[in-house]
Amino acid sequence: MYHGIPENVEVRVSAISGRGLWAKNLIKAGSVIISLRPYSFALASRCLDSHCSSCAAASNSGLLRCTGCHTVRYCNTTCQTNDWSFHRLECSALRKWAKSAPSKNVSVPSDAVRCLGRILWQKKKEGFDSSWSKEIDALQSHRHSLHPRVVENNTHLAHSLVRYLGLSSPGELSEFGILSAGDLADLISRFVTNTFALTSPSLTPVGVSVSPLVALFNHSCDPGAVIVFPRSSRNPAEEPQMQVIALRDISPNEEILTSYIDTTLPRSLRQAALKETYDFTCQCELCHDDNKIDPREAIWCPKSCGGMCPAPSDESEIYQCVKCRAVVATPGFIIDALRIGQEALEKATSIQDTDHDKALQLTTNIIPILVSAGLTPSCHPLLALIGLHKSFLLSSLSADIAQELLDETIRTAAKHYMGLSAILRDGHPVRAVALAELGKLLAVDEPHPVMSPPTNIAFPPSGPPRLKAAYETLVRARHELIIGFGRNNDGGELGRNIRETVVSLEKELGVWTQGIHNTLQDLLNSPQK
């Protein structure tokens, strides 16, 4: 039934997890397990001006704008032609939506609405009994057991879809094979449950996508494979290319598992997210191993022995370092710090697009509190706050950059990678991208390099030592990118860019080394007085 299943993978049914995909032969880390174009995708509204609506490429120059709807853009006439079979229907719907929108802020429907519209138009085009339509209809629906908040969101999405299609009521959806309110609820539930984020080569979300085959992979909080969009094809018509990459060696007859959620979250938040959206309780080893401390929920030993303690969650319990058995004396203070940190994270996340300065001030003020409470860099919410703080600092960098801001951004990027490396395996795309970001920051020309920095300043180095640190960091990043974005892809677009930077740094270091050699040679050859 499923189109595109490779020969070394097969569909099986498990008594625990239902349908899934199993490896028939050994799959090595970094191997591309599946590579396909999503059945449907749509760009986020904020990306419509900066990305091609046919191949999802980010533009370094101007894009061609559709002269009909003035909403979507394309790389060139080839991409526009490739997309026309569906955009001709979408174009009219976008114009009508914009005309009836109460304000400019809502003049474009959400990516979810636009993606659903494309799915229905294609089902109608392919035929309701076609294999394409059957694969969409076979997606898992949880509409009978959804969280009330999800039901409310789904209802709003359904009403928006009806309006987008130019209909006055759900009863008019029969031309799309939707004959009842239950059919519409199932469509929306299947979409929400099985949607994947469409991401850039550096993992920035740029839209939504749907692939019935990729949706067959079951979940683990410690996955053996990841889903990425590395932009590996030289043919734009094949992009966006959705790929499932092996993070580690996968044995024959082993189920291939991906993750549905952010696995840097602690167990309680992971389980809550899975239950709300996917209606199941994860049974993976990470969720059920109570014999060791999870770095996502850990603090440093109060006696500074180098060991860790479980992050306190109940003042009435005793928490000890697993290494020296030292007791945490102030669990209440740490519990309060964790609560304040979570509140700050939610607040900063919610206002980051509307009040950047206030969000930056929040992360700047709260991170030191969590550090003073003894949270490890990998502990939630400290890790998430550090990552958010890094993004704010990166967006503050400009051509006229200050040395202090650059150095602070580098230190924050290093802390972020340190936290990620404690919980994500070598080669995980999130970890690989973070290391690449650190390396690129180290490679930025310093406004005011310190040739002889004080000995108490360990990081970041300055002058030639910083250049060497950038080179070594990017070499490591390239190794991880090749795993996370595919060996055959050369690490994807990002991996190829890092390779070029590494080559450039090698030349720069070579010139510097040769210059030192020539200077020493001149000193040796100069006449002695």
Side-chain angles (χ1 to χ4, degrees):
M1 173 179 173
Y2 291 93
H3 173 72
I5 298 181
E7 291 183 359
N8 63 337
V9 173
E10 66 181 356
V11 179
R12 296 184 190 175
V13 178
S14 162
I16 297 175
S17 54
R19 287 181 305 175
L21 292 171
W22 268 256
K24 294 167 68 176
N25 306 304
L26 172 67
I27 300 175
K28 300 290 289 183
S31 298
V32 178
I33 301 172
I34 286 176
S35 182
L36 47 75
R37 200 171 191 266
Y39 268 29
S40 183
F41 78 91
L43 294 171
S45 297
R46 59 180 172 76
C47 297
L48 287 169
D49 289 338
S50 57
H51 290 68
C52 175
S53 283
S54 177
C55 72
S59 172
N60 295 321
S61 57
L63 291 170
L64 300 177
R65 186 173 66 172
C66 173
T67 56
C69 64
H70 301 287
T71 300
V72 305
R73 297 173 186 261
Y74 299 101
C75 296
N76 46 45
T77 54
T78 301
C79 280
Q80 188 169 20
T81 301
N82 290 340
D83 195 47
W84 179 244
S85 62
F86 289 106
H87 183 61
R88 65 183 180 84
L89 300 168
E90 179 183 63
C91 191
S92 174
L94 287 170
R95 291 199 303 270
K96 291 177 181 177
W97 178 286
K99 188 175 181 179
S100 63
S103 70
K104 188 175 181 180
N105 292 336
V106 290
S107 61
V108 178
S110 70
D111 51 4
V113 171
R114 286 181 278 115
C115 191
L116 277 163
R118 287 194 164 219
I119 288 173
L120 289 182
W121 285 319
Q122 184 144 356
K123 283 188 72 175
K124 184 177 178 180
K125 176 184 176 182
E126 298 285 341
F128 304 131
D129 291 327
S130 66
S131 59
W132 196 97
S133 296
K134 287 179 179 179
E135 286 187 39
I136 292 291
D137 292 340
L139 290 170
Q140 187 70 47
S141 168
H142 298 293
R143 74 178 177 94
H144 295 295
S145 55
L146 292 175
H147 188 279
R149 184 171 58 185
V150 177
V151 173
E152 183 180 350
N153 291 339
N154 286 5
T155 301
H156 176 73
L157 182 55
H159 286 305
S160 297
L161 175 62
V162 169
R163 177 191 159 200
Y164 179 60
L165 293 172
L167 307 177
S168 57
S169 71
E172 298 175 32
L173 286 167
S174 58
E175 64 175 297
F176 298 103
I178 298 174
L179 306 178
S180 67
D183 287 347
L184 178 58
D186 273 331
L187 170 70
I188 301 298
S189 178
R190 289 189 184 105
F191 175 82
V192 171
T193 302
N194 296 280
T195 298
F196 298 94
L198 174 66
T199 60
S200 72
S202 57
L203 303 183
T204 302
V206 297
V208 295
S209 64
V210 174
S211 169
L213 176 57
V214 177
L216 281 177
F217 288 100
N218 285 315
H219 166 84
S220 171
C221 296
D222 185 19
V226 287
I227 301 164
V228 291
F229 292 83
R231 296 207 72 83
S232 58
S233 176
R234 295 184 180 182
N235 181 4
E238 296 177 350
E239 294 286 357
Q241 196 71 197
M242 185 183 206
Q243 296 191 341
V244 181
I245 312 288
L247 273 181
R248 57 170 176 78
D249 290 354
I250 299 174
S251 303
N253 297 311
E254 178 183 350
E255 186 175 10
I256 306 168
L257 301 170
T258 62
S259 177
Y260 297 172
I261 55 168
D262 179 1
T263 57
T264 66
L265 295 174
R267 175 169 55 186
S268 60
L269 294 182
R270 296 197 309 270
Q271 294 281 17
L274 290 168
K275 188 64 178 176
E276 179 174 315
T277 304
Y278 304 100
D279 192 37
F280 72 86
T281 300
C282 183
Q283 302 293 327
C284 76
E285 184 176 340
L286 186 62
C287 285
H288 288 271
D289 187 357
D290 296 320
N291 296 321
K292 60 181 180 180
I293 290 183
D294 185 350
R296 299 164 181 79
E297 302 176 86
I299 61 172
W300 293 117
C301 170
K303 299 296 185 182
S304 302
C305 78
M308 294 189 296
C309 313
S313 57
D314 186 340
E315 287 191 62
S316 64
E317 292 189 21
I318 296 175
Y319 298 89
Q320 293 179 295
C321 172
V322 295
K323 186 176 180 181
C324 72
R325 310 309 297 172
V327 176
V328 177
T330 57
F333 167 69
I334 298 169
I335 291 171
D336 287 342
L338 289 167
R339 176 181 52 79
I340 292 170
Q342 182 63 36
E343 292 172 355
L345 174 62
E346 293 170 0
K347 179 66 174 177
T349 301
S350 68
I351 65 173
Q352 60 180 319
D353 294 327
T354 57
D355 196 339
H356 174 273
D357 291 343
K358 185 175 181 180
L360 175 59
Q361 192 62 49
L362 257 177
T363 56
T364 302
N365 292 339
I366 297 299
I367 287 174
I369 295 174
L370 300 185
V371 172
S372 68
L375 273 66
T376 63
S378 55
C379 185
H380 184 82
L382 178 57
L383 175 59
L385 281 165
I386 291 173
L388 197 58
H389 188 62
K390 179 183 73 171
S391 69
F392 296 156
L393 293 175
L394 285 170
S395 64
S396 300
L397 298 179
S398 63
D400 187 24
I401 187 174
Q403 182 78 33
E404 184 179 350
L405 176 59
L406 176 60
D407 289 351
E408 175 60 23
T409 307
I410 290 172
R411 282 189 286 270
T412 303
K415 292 172 185 174
H416 189 225
Y417 176 73
M418 185 188 307
L420 291 171
S421 63
I423 54 180
L424 300 178
R425 68 174 67 247
D426 181 27
H428 192 289
V430 172
R431 169 177 156 159
V433 168
L435 188 58
E437 286 179 341
L438 174 58
K440 288 191 289 185
L441 284 167
L442 286 165
V444 172
D445 290 336
E446 296 180 79
H448 304 289
V450 181
M451 301 311 295
S452 299
T455 55
N456 63 329
I457 299 179
F459 192 83
S462 189
R466 178 177 292 200
L467 196 64
K468 184 180 179 183
Y471 172 79
E472 293 172 346
T473 302
L474 288 172
V475 168
R476 288 165 47 212
R478 178 161 159 71
H479 161 76
E480 296 209 21
L481 289 166
I482 284 175
I483 297 174
F485 289 90
R487 294 186 185 280
N488 291 344
N489 302 328
D490 199 21
E493 183 178 281
L494 181 58
R496 294 190 293 273
N497 291 342
I498 294 300
R499 180 187 60 191
E500 293 174 2
T501 305
V502 166
V503 171
S504 176
L505 287 174
E506 280 178 341
K507 293 178 180 178
E508 196 170 345
L509 283 168
V511 170
W512 173 71
T513 304
Q514 186 62 45
I516 294 293
H517 174 77
N518 292 341
T519 301
L520 290 173
Q521 196 66 41
D522 290 344
L523 288 172
L524 289 171
N525 294 335
S526 62
Q528 297 295 319
K529 291 184 179 181

